[in-house]
């Protein structure tokens, strides 16, 4: 069973992505967190075997943003980056964010919102 | 004695010479006399005696020869008689005549004349004989012969008579000779005496002359030499005036005057040295170069002192204007000298200070560490000591900012022995600097907020646009009407959210543009109570306990809308982020703080909670930033704190947070 986690504080966006994923593959299990802190707590609470295959990580979130999440995760759950594919999603079209994301080995790819159905399909099919 | 040295010398010479000359003359006179006497004897007396003797003989011979002539003389005898009569006798007679003229004794002369007379008759008689008997024939005549014989007898008688006379005369002359010889002997003996005496006299006169010279020439010269040697060593000896009027005393007088001139100049120099530039000096003459040079020096010194005084005044004035003072501290003795300007800066009364005031009492305590460390560094690296710090003036305790630059002086061993430094009051400049820094800080923060804001604006708006776009896409791909209806509902919601975001952003922009904020006198306690009331539901829901410790009498000048917004924001956060394991305890506190530098007092309001706390290291920066999520109410963390901080700062205050994760937080705001 494929598991995907969305870490984004916009519920609207969560809905949209969930819907798209359902469209692509109904069997995908999608979970979400509203911010990085919740995500870290949640992920570190579960066994590594339960970890998702794909993580969609937003940058701008309250309490703990995307960058901070990566730092925290590297400390607490370092295997996350190896076990899961982390995609960084953002509305930011600022090149600095893109460069920063691409410089991080934990981030597989930087995707600019909106994520298209085709892109999702591509990601899902690679699982 | 108005004789110059030349005259004195001449006189002495003259006297000595005179003595010598006199001796010489005396000796010469003696010699001459002696010579004369000898000459007399040799050329007169002795010859006269000889001549007289010769005459006697001649007479006798004549007598004989005449007899012979008379009685038939041989030719030889005749010749001889003729020789005597016509040659020898004449010579002899003349000679004696000449001689007799010179005889001193009249008696002798008289006798001579008598003798001469007789001899002459003899000769005449003899001649007569020769005349009457010239040849042999004459002899035939007996009468002639008898005449001749008679004459001969007469001659014999005369000769005999003359002979005695001549003998007497000779004796007389011989006596004369003896006398003369005695005289000569006496004269010779006298000469010895004279020579001896003259030598003695010469020696004595020379001695006297020497003493005289010594007393009147050598001794004064020696004394003068002493004086001059002393002067050559720089001394100013006393020179006595003398009565004498010769060159030496003139020299003495000149030296006396010179010494006097020097003594005067010494006095003058002393006065100058003591700083008296009105001192005066009387010149020895128009050519007194030394004196003139001294007077010029005095004028120069006076001029330079005036220049220096002026410079000193200017320096002091400059120090005063610039608010700079200088000081010199001898580290070992603790002796401290400084300019008036420094006393002014430090607030010290002049008579008060000799030793260095303990700098710890002057420099504000918060700078002690920095100053000590800078001093140590300066000494170690032998660089200038430069530091900026606050001092407390000794006179009134007022605080001033100063800028200190000083140099350490080191001895041979490398120890710091003294400091020379300047201290400048830079309070005004410093305050401006602090102001500027504050403004700069504010500008930087505003700028970063602005960047943040503009970034977020585009970001946030884009987010909603993206959602709407995705939804439209989904709608287009929708399989059924139901799905489409669902998407439509979402779309409505999304556009609503966008509208709301735009609305909020608009508010923020509007707030940032507000220039004239209306301020009122507000009671702080009341405002807090109002906000508490507005959140009563949340309070009850979370069973929060609110304590308002702000005194009732505190009033502030503030914008009421801002104040309400701020208080609501803080309070709602404190409630919302309560710790799940305990009931929220929230306390409002008030205090006053005196800002020393700005000479102002300001209010400080604190709200402390016991909630979740915030990791300020991680989230501190973002705390007052803006987030894209607006869950409906302004008081959601997204924009609430951002606006609250903006409002606080617009009112001239500031806000800080201190927090311990898991324990709680304190939000602290200042109000002017």
């Amino acid at each position: 069973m494929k598991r995907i986690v969305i870490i984004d504080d916009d519920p609207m966006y969560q809905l949209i992505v969930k819907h798209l994923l359902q469209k692509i593959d109904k069997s995908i299990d999608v979970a979400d967190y509203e911010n990085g802190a919740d995500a870290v707590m949640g992920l570190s609470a579960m066994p590594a075997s339960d970890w998702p295959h794909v993580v969609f990580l937003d940058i701008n979130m309250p309490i703990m943003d995307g960058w901070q999440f990566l730092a925290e995760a590297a400390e607490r759950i370092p295997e996350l980056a190896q076990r899961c594919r982390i995609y960084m999603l953002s509305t930011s079209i600022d090149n600095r964010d893109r460069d920063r994301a691409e410089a991080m080995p934990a981030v597989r790819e930087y995707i600019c919102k909106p994520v298209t159905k085709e892109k999702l399909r591509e990601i899902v099919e690679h699982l | 004695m108005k004789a110059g040295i030349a005259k004195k010398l001449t006189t002495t010479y003259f006297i000595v010479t005179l003595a010598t000359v006199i001796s010489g003359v005396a000796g010469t006179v003696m010699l001459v006399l002696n010579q004369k006497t000898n000459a007399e004897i040799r050329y007169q007396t002795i010859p006269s005696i000889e001549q007289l003797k010769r005459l006697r003989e001649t007479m006798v011979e004549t007598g004989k020869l005449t007899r012979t002539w008379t009685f038939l003389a041989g030719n030889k005898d005749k010749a001889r008689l003729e020789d005597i009569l016509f040659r020898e006798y004449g010579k002899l007679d003349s000679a004696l005549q000449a001689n007799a003229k010179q005889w001193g004794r009249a008696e002798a002369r008289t006798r001579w004349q008598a003798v001469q007379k007789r001899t002459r008759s003899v000769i005449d008689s003899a001649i007569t004989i020769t005349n009457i008997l010239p040849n042999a024939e004459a002899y035939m005549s007996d009468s002639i012969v008898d005449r001749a014989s008679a004459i001969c007898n007469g001659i014999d008688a005369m000769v005999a008579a003359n002979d005695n006379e001549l003998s007497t005369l000779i004796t007389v002359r011989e006596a004369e000779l003896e006398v003369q010889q005695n005289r000569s002997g006496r004269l010779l003996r006298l000469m010895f005496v004279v020579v001896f005496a003259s030598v003695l006299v010469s020696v004595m006169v020379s001695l006297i002359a020497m003493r005289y010279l010594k007393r009147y020439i050598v001794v004064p010269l020696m004394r003068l030499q002493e004086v001059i040697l002393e002067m050559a060593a720089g001394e100013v000896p006393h020179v006595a005036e003398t009565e004498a009027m010769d060159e030496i005393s003139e020299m003495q007088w000149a030296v006396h005057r010179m010494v006097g001139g020097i003594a005067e100049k010494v006095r003058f120099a002393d006065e100058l040295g003591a700083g008296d530039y009105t001192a005066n000096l009387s010149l020895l003459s128009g050519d007194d170069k030394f004196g003139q040079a001294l007077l010029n020096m005095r004028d120069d010194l006076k001029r330079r002192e005036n220049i220096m005084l002026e410079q000193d005044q200017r320096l002091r004035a400059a120090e005063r204007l610039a608010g700079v003072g200088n000081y010199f501290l001898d580290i070992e003795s603790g002796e401290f000298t400084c300019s008036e300007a420094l006393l002014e800066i430090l607030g010290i009364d002049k008579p008060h200070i000799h030793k260095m005031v303990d700098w710890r009492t002057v420099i504000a305590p918060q700078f002690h560490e920095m100053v000590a460390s800078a001093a140590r560094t300066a000494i170690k690296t032998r660089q200038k000591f430069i530091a900026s710090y606050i001092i407390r003036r000794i006179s009134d305790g007022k605080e001033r900012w100063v800028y200190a630059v000083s140099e350490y002086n080191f001895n041979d061993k490398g120890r710091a022995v003294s400091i020379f430094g300047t201290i400048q009051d830079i309070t005004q400049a410093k305050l401006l600097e602090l102001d500027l820094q504050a403004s700069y800080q504010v500008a930087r923060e505003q700028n970063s907020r602005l960047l943040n804001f503009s970034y977020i604006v585009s970001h946030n708006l884009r987010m909603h646009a993206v959602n709407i776009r995705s939804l439209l896409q989904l709608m287009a791909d929708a399989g059924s009407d139901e799905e489409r209806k669902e998407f439509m509902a979402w779309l409505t919601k999304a556009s609503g959210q966008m509208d709301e975001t735009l609305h909020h952003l608009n508010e923020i922009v509007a707030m940032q543009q507000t220039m004239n904020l209306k301020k009122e006198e507000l009671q702080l306690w009341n405002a807090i109570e109002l906000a508490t009331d507005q959140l009563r539901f949340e309070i009850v829901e979370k069973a929060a306990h609110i304590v308002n410790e702000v005194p009732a009498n505190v009033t502030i000048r503030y914008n009421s809308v801002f104040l309400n917004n701020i208080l609501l924001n803080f309070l709602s956060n404190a409630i919302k982020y309560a710790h799940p394991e305990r009931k929220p305890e929230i306390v409002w506190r008030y205090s006053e703080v005196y800002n020393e530098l700005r000479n102002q007092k300001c209010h400080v309001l604190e709200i402390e909670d016991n909630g979740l706390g915030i990791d300020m290291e991680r989230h501190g920066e973002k705390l007052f930033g803006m987030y894209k999520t607006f869950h409906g109410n302004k008081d959601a963390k997204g924009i609430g704190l951002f606006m609250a901080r903006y409002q606080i700062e617009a009112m001239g205050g500031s806000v800080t947070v201190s927090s311990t994760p898991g324990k709680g937080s304190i939000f602290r705001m200042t109000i002017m």
Side-chain angles (χ1 to χ4, degrees):
Chain A
M1 173 140 94
K2 296 173 188 172
R3 290 186 296 277
I4 297 181
V5 157
I6 308 172
I7 311 176
D8 196 317
D9 67 328
D10 182 11
M12 177 66 66
Y13 186 74
Q14 282 176 0
L15 266 177
I16 293 168
V17 172
K18 261 192 203 157
H19 193 90
L20 283 171
L21 286 171
Q22 293 287 331
K23 276 271 171 105
I24 295 166
D25 185 345
K26 282 200 168 62
S27 67
I28 298 175
D29 172 43
V30 183
D32 59 76
Y33 296 99
E34 281 202 357
N35 57 61
D38 291 346
V40 168
M41 282 214 286
L43 287 171
S44 44
M46 61 173 79
S49 50
D50 285 349
W51 280 353
H53 303 93
V54 165
V55 171
F56 289 119
L57 176 63
D58 185 26
I59 295 183
N60 284 305
M61 297 178 287
I63 301 175
M64 189 187 282
D65 69 12
W67 306 118
Q68 289 166 335
F69 166 81
L70 287 171
E72 190 72 11
E75 257 185 57
R76 298 245 280 232
I77 36 173
E79 311 86 31
L80 187 74
Q82 291 153 2
R83 280 177 167 270
C84 321
R85 295 199 196 150
I86 305 177
Y87 294 90
M88 211 143 193
L89 266 71
S90 183
T91 51
S92 169
I93 44 175
D94 191 339
N95 278 331
R96 282 176 292 184
D97 283 330
R98 176 183 286 277
D99 293 338
R100 195 173 166 188
E102 286 177 356
M104 302 205 82
V107 173
R108 190 161 288 266
E109 198 180 330
Y110 178 88
I111 303 171
C112 208
K113 288 189 194 172
V115 60
T116 58
K117 200 164 154 195
E118 287 69 34
K119 189 72 189 171
L120 275 179
R121 194 190 295 277
E122 193 190 303
I123 293 168
V124 164
E125 274 170 10
H126 272 116
L127 285 176
Chain B
M1 194 172 25
K2 203 171 158 71
I5 288 182
K7 261 197 183 155
K8 285 185 188 160
L9 283 172
T10 312
T11 310
T12 313
Y13 173 69
F14 181 68
I15 291 174
V16 169
T17 308
L18 193 65
T20 315
V21 161
I22 288 176
S23 314
V25 161
T28 311
V29 161
M30 290 291 111
L31 269 176
V32 163
L33 279 176
N34 202 27
Q35 197 199 30
K36 198 164 147 205
T37 308
N38 280 344
E40 224 179 76
I41 295 176
R42 202 158 141 205
Y43 296 110
Q44 201 200 72
T45 314
I46 292 184
S48 74
I49 292 173
E50 281 183 14
Q51 285 162 358
L52 283 170
K53 283 188 184 164
R54 182 85 190 100
L55 189 66
R56 196 166 65 180
E57 284 171 15
T58 307
M59 284 294 104
V60 172
E61 211 182 333
T62 304
K64 281 189 194 157
L65 286 174
T66 48
R67 197 158 284 281
T68 311
W69 186 292
T70 303
F71 301 106
L72 203 73
N75 283 341
K76 203 165 56 178
D77 291 334
K78 274 188 183 177
R80 177 88 190 100
L81 186 64
E82 281 174 349
D83 197 37
I84 291 171
L85 292 174
F86 299 112
R87 277 186 290 279
E88 249 185 70
Y89 176 72
K91 282 187 194 155
L92 214 57
D93 186 52
S94 308
L96 273 166
Q97 177 67 25
N99 206 324
K101 277 197 182 135
Q102 291 166 7
W103 294 353
R105 306 251 297 260
E107 193 207 330
R109 283 202 300 270
T110 317
R111 280 192 201 269
W112 158 251
Q113 279 172 346
V115 164
Q116 197 188 39
K117 218 164 156 190
R118 268 196 217 104
T119 47
R120 281 223 170 116
S121 9
V122 166
I123 296 297
D124 284 339
S125 302
I127 289 173
T128 307
I129 290 180
T130 59
N131 284 339
I132 64 175
L133 290 172
N135 45 31
E137 290 94 36
Y139 284 95
M140 313 280 99
S141 161
D142 285 330
S143 63
I144 296 172
V145 169
D146 287 331
R147 192 167 160 225
S149 175
I151 294 172
C152 278
N153 294 337
I155 290 173
D156 286 337
M158 269 196 292
V159 165
N162 228 10
D163 203 57
N164 289 337
E165 277 295 323
L166 275 168
S167 296
T168 313
L169 195 58
I170 288 168
T171 310
V172 167
R173 291 301 296 161
E174 278 178 345
E176 181 77 17
L177 180 67
E178 210 180 300
V179 164
Q180 283 182 336
Q181 278 175 336
N182 284 345
R183 193 172 349 135
S184 177
R186 268 206 309 280
L187 278 174
L188 210 61
R189 276 196 300 280
L190 203 61
M191 205 171 74
F192 281 121
V193 169
V194 164
V195 164
F196 179 73
S198 65
V199 164
L200 206 66
V201 162
S202 292
V203 164
M204 270 177 54
V205 168
S206 298
L207 275 172
I208 291 170
M210 272 242 312
R211 271 195 64 185
Y212 172 79
L213 278 179
K214 190 168 171 198
R215 181 152 163 228
Y216 287 100
I217 295 179
V218 172
V219 164
L221 274 176
M222 298 291 289
R223 245 182 299 156
L224 206 60
Q225 183 206 33
E226 253 177 55
V227 166
I228 290 176
L229 280 175
E230 279 178 20
M231 286 177 65
E235 293 179 38
V236 185
H238 175 70
V239 178
E241 285 193 59
T242 54
E243 296 294 323
M245 295 298 284
D246 62 356
E247 288 88 337
I248 295 183
S249 54
E250 263 182 40
M251 280 203 286
Q252 260 180 314
W253 177 85
V255 168
H256 172 83
R257 213 167 109 83
M258 189 162 65
V259 167
I262 291 177
E264 164 97 344
K265 287 173 176 83
V266 165
R267 174 199 59 79
F268 180 71
D270 280 338
E271 282 181 24
L272 272 188
D276 179 10
Y277 295 119
T278 61
N280 216 337
L281 175 69
S282 44
L283 298 176
L284 292 172
S285 75
D287 290 324
D288 184 357
K289 291 208 172 70
F290 184 24
Q292 197 56 53
L294 281 178
L295 285 175
N296 291 344
M297 182 178 85
R298 174 199 63 186
D299 294 335
D300 257 346
L301 282 174
K302 207 195 287 191
R303 199 170 28 88
R304 287 212 209 136
E305 195 195 51
N306 286 342
I307 291 176
M308 264 187 32
L309 275 174
E310 197 192 316
Q311 279 182 344
D312 187 51
Q313 269 173 0
R314 252 192 274 155
L315 180 67
R316 284 199 214 182
E319 280 196 337
R320 230 181 317 121
L321 270 177
V324 171
N326 69 71
Y327 66 90
F328 181 81
L329 169 69
D330 184 322
I331 296 179
E332 276 165 46
S333 68
E335 220 180 278
F336 183 78
T337 46
C338 67
S339 63
E340 278 179 23
L342 188 67
L343 295 174
E344 181 65 35
I345 292 172
L346 295 178
I348 300 172
D349 298 318
K350 185 132 189 213
H352 183 81
I353 186 162
H354 297 295
K355 288 208 157 202
M356 175 62 179
V357 174
D358 187 3
W359 61 269
R360 268 176 279 268
T361 65
V362 178
I363 301 180
Q366 62 263 37
F367 293 99
H368 286 183
E369 175 69 42
M370 183 271 281
V371 166
S373 156
R376 279 195 295 272
T377 311
I379 292 178
K380 205 175 2 164
T381 62
R382 300 230 177 173
Q383 303 271 330
K384 285 193 259 211
F385 165 87
I386 300 179
S388 204
Y389 47 82
I390 297 179
I391 57 158
R392 294 202 180 120
R393 281 163 57 86
I394 294 178
S395 53
D396 51 17
K398 280 207 181 131
E399 290 201 344
R400 309 289 289 171
W401 273 95
V402 296
Y403 177 66
V405 180
S406 50
E407 270 181 340
Y408 283 91
N409 300 313
F410 301 89
N411 64 6
D412 300 328
K413 302 194 184 79
R415 247 177 77 104
V417 292
S418 61
I419 311 177
F420 175 72
T422 60
I423 294 185
Q424 184 174 18
D425 185 323
I426 53 167
T427 308
Q428 262 192 331
K430 191 70 177 182
L431 288 179
L432 277 173
E433 183 194 317
L434 288 172
D435 255 349
L436 194 65
Q437 269 184 6
S439 304
Y440 174 65
Q441 200 56 38
V442 165
R444 261 179 56 143
E445 284 168 15
Q446 278 197 342
N447 197 41
S448 83
R449 275 205 301 283
L450 206 60
L451 279 174
N452 192 31
F453 176 72
S454 57
Y455 173 74
I456 288 177
V457 161
S458 61
H459 191 89
N460 289 2
L461 287 176
R462 186 148 191 278
M463 177 195 74
H464 293 303
V466 156
N467 281 351
I468 290 169
R469 194 166 146 214
S470 302
L471 284 170
L472 284 171
Q473 186 71 44
L474 277 174
M475 266 185 80
D477 292 344
S480 62
D481 270 346
E482 257 181 40
E483 259 194 340
R484 262 190 286 274
K485 261 198 189 156
E486 201 189 341
F487 288 148
M488 190 56 140
W490 289 4
L491 199 59
T492 312
K493 193 171 179 202
S495 82
Q497 281 176 346
M498 183 172 213
D499 185 50
E500 208 176 338
T501 301
L502 283 167
H503 188 69
H504 285 157
L505 291 174
N506 198 41
E507 257 188 56
I508 292 171
V509 167
M511 185 182 70
Q512 284 184 344
Q513 283 179 346
T514 312
M515 293 303 281
N516 293 320
L517 298 166
K518 197 177 74 174
K519 288 195 199 176
E520 307 163 55
E521 293 290 329
L522 303 165
Q523 270 195 312
L524 195 52
W525 188 89
N526 281 355
I528 292 173
E529 291 301 306
L530 178 64
T532 310
D533 188 57
Q534 284 171 315
L535 293 173
R536 57 185 179 281
F537 287 128
E538 288 83 345
I539 291 169
V540 164
E541 193 184 25
K542 292 279 178 105
H545 182 229
I546 319 286
V547 178
N548 185 352
E549 287 184 4
V550 175
N553 61 347
V554 172
T555 52
I556 57 175
R557 272 189 71 79
Y558 225 78
N559 180 286
S560 60
V561 172
F562 279 18
L563 187 59
N564 182 248
N565 185 49
I566 293 163
L567 295 175
L568 272 179
N569 203 282
F570 284 171
L571 190 54
S572 78
N573 278 342
I575 296 167
K576 195 189 304 177
Y577 293 98
H579 200 281
E581 290 166 15
R582 49 184 180 249
K583 285 205 185 119
E585 292 282 333
I586 299 166
V587 184
W588 291 95
R589 293 199 191 91
Y590 171 81
S591 55
E592 270 180 15
V593 165
Y594 182 70
N595 185 322
E596 291 174 343
L597 218 53
R598 289 165 175 269
N599 210 7
Q600 268 179 321
K601 103 180 160 178
C602 60
H603 316 272
V604 178
L605 177 64
E606 278 182 6
I607 172 171
E608 183 174 355
D609 68 52
N610 63 350
L612 280 171
I614 307 157
D615 186 343
M616 286 308 290
E617 267 182 38
R618 273 197 172 154
H619 308 312
E621 289 221 6
K622 302 187 140 243
L623 197 60
F624 294 97
M626 240 196 324
Y627 288 100
K628 63 181 181 184
T629 52
F630 306 117
H631 301 290
N633 288 345
K634 274 203 301 255
D635 58 37
K637 203 146 178 214
I639 162 178
L641 279 179
F642 176 85
M643 284 195 69
R645 182 164 91 161
Y646 185 86
Q647 286 163 341
I648 291 170
E649 285 172 3
M651 287 277 102
S654 63
V655 57
T656 51
V657 178
S658 53
S659 178
T660 315
K663 288 258 174 77
S665 320
I666 306 177
F667 280 67
R668 195 168 180 269
M669 66 181 275
T670 60
I671 302 166
M672 283 294 128

